Amino acid sequence: MSSIHEYIQQIRMIDGHEHLATPQIRKKENHDFFSLMHYLDSDLVTAGMERGILSRRSQLGD
C-alpha cells in the first residue's frame, strides 16, 4: 500500500481550467457576483446552507 501512496505523491497536476462566461455573455444574461461564484454556492449548500439563498430570484421573492 505504501508504494501506491508514494507513486501518487509523485504525480504532478495543475488544473487551470475555468467555467466563467465571457463579459458579453455575463452582460446579456445579467449575471451578478454570486452567479460568477457557482462553486461557492455548491460548497455552502454542501456545508448546510439552504439551497437558493444566494440566488437573485430568492432575494427578490420570485
Side-chain angles (χ1 to χ4, degrees), residues 23-39:
Q24 295 81 10
I25 292 172
R26 289 195 311 266
K27 185 175 180 181
K28 176 183 169 193
E29 296 180 0
N30 199 24
H31 288 275
D32 61 9
F33 173 74
F34 291 110
S35 66
L36 298 175
M37 310 265 307
H38 56 279
Y39 291 121

Side-chain angles (χ1 to χ4, degrees), residues 2-62:
S2 66
S3 63
I4 293 172
H5 182 266
E6 291 168 8
Y7 176 77
I8 291 172
Q9 292 298 318
Q10 297 299 316
I11 297 173
R12 299 288 180 220
M13 183 184 320
I14 299 173
D15 182 1
H17 78 279
E18 59 183 54
H19 296 268
L20 299 177
T22 64
Q24 295 81 10
I25 292 172
R26 289 195 311 266
K27 185 175 180 181
K28 176 183 169 193
E29 296 180 0
N30 199 24
H31 288 275
D32 61 9
F33 173 74
F34 291 110
S35 66
L36 298 175
M37 310 265 307
H38 56 279
Y39 291 121
L40 172 67
D41 183 57
S42 298
D43 291 344
L44 292 174
V45 168
T46 300
M49 181 185 77
E50 183 180 334
R51 186 175 303 277
I53 290 294
L54 297 182
S55 73
R56 173 180 282 167
R57 289 190 181 119
S58 70
Q59 293 171 2
L60 297 175
D62 292 342

